[in-house]
Amino acid sequence: MTTQLTPHRPPGLRDFYENPAVPVASGDARTLRQARILATALGRDAASTAPATILDIGCGDGTAAATAAPLLAGHRLIGVDWSQDALKRAHSLIPHVVRGELTDGGLPFATGSADAVLFSEVIEHLVDPDSALDELGRVLRPGGHLMLSTPNLAAWYNRGLLLAGVQPVFSEVSLRGIHGRPGKEVVGHLRLYTARALREFVAASGFEVVSLAGAPFHGVPRPLRALDRLACAVPSAASILLLHARRS
């Protein structure tokens, strides 16, 4: 996952995302769950015996792609990011990396050329998520898979925090510091989704929603991690939303 593909960035936001100290992932548990879902979906596809082309849009330093790669063996995994610095680091972990943006002419791939897109914790950083999903739909073949993950505004602990008048986790009011909520890391979240909102938004963008699952968040305090894993059984209350959709 990365935070490095924000279209129409306000001044200074690109520099914020270029900072390698900014956290960019929710943990290996999300990556592995997402990769298993995609591997199962690709295994069910009978249209072609050729290796699938999978684009990791917003690959960052390639850590997540490298973690997912063993579960997607036999397929061609391509990391895509706008940051040359991130791509240099990613290239040491994954063999194929390409510079590309969701704006300024779109991604450097032909229409319908991808079998699957990993879009992991990018959408919450976007000013224009509608155009982003339009572009992902363009590069995916009909029936191609979209694997989208994002933090859950309605995570089980956020419900309690909001009732107590505390700013929900994952939400941010400033790029300079955390105010009014637990945590210390500023990661640049601009948009947050509940399970229902994410389903409706992706469906309205021309995709067929196949499934919605949950994943834990590594930032949950250690004493609460067992409860966070249990919450994944109810995706609408999980820390991280894992949505699988297909291009119509």
Side-chain angles (χ1 to χ4, degrees):
M1 169 269 166
T2 185
T3 61
Q4 298 171 338
L5 287 171
T6 307
H8 308 303
R9 287 164 292 274
L13 197 53
R14 180 186 285 263
D15 292 335
F16 173 82
Y17 290 139
E18 281 276 19
N19 183 354
V22 174
V24 295
S26 63
D28 288 350
R30 183 274 300 165
T31 300
L32 293 171
R33 289 183 184 214
Q34 192 175 45
R36 290 189 189 102
I37 294 170
L38 178 56
T40 299
L42 291 173
R44 291 173 179 159
D45 286 350
S48 174
T49 58
T53 296
I54 304 169
L55 308 180
D56 183 5
I57 306 294
C59 68
D61 64 7
T63 301
T67 300
L71 296 174
L72 300 170
H75 301 297
R76 187 177 184 226
L77 181 59
I78 303 173
V80 184
D81 208 288
W82 62 260
S83 169
Q84 293 283 18
D85 180 65
L87 291 176
K88 287 178 183 178
R89 287 178 279 144
H91 194 47
S92 67
L93 297 175
I94 53 178
H96 307 291
V97 296
V98 175
R99 188 179 187 280
E101 299 196 44
L102 290 169
T103 56
D104 298 331
L107 297 168
F109 300 98
T111 298
S113 59
D115 299 288
V117 164
L118 292 169
F119 201 50
S120 305
E121 281 138 85
V122 175
I123 198 168
E124 64 270 17
H125 303 274
L126 300 181
V127 174
D128 187 1
D130 301 271
S131 295
L133 284 197
D134 288 345
E135 180 63 1
L136 298 184
R138 182 190 69 79
V139 300
L140 278 170
R141 64 168 172 79
H145 302 276
L146 171 64
M147 309 301 301
L148 188 158
S149 65
T150 190
N152 183 11
L153 176 60
W156 60 276
Y157 39 82
N158 278 346
R159 302 182 188 206
L161 290 174
L162 195 57
L163 284 174
V166 178
Q167 186 83 8
V169 174
F170 307 126
S171 65
E172 296 175 343
V173 299
S174 170
L175 292 179
R176 298 177 179 177
I178 294 298
H179 304 287
R181 73 156 173 84
K184 299 178 180 179
E185 297 176 333
V186 180
V187 294
H189 289 171
L190 304 180
R191 298 184 181 274
L192 290 175
Y193 299 81
T194 64
R196 179 176 179 176
L198 187 64
R199 280 180 173 273
E200 292 185 3
F201 171 59
V202 172
S205 299
F207 292 86
E208 176 190 355
V209 176
V210 177
S211 66
L212 184 72
F217 174 50
H218 70 86
V220 169
R222 189 174 297 276
L224 298 176
R225 289 181 184 176
L227 183 56
D228 193 42
R229 290 192 296 269
L230 287 174
C232 294
V234 184
S236 62
S239 285
I240 306 297
L241 300 172
L242 304 178
L243 184 137
H244 172 206
R246 302 195 73 162
R247 181 181 176 276
S248 300

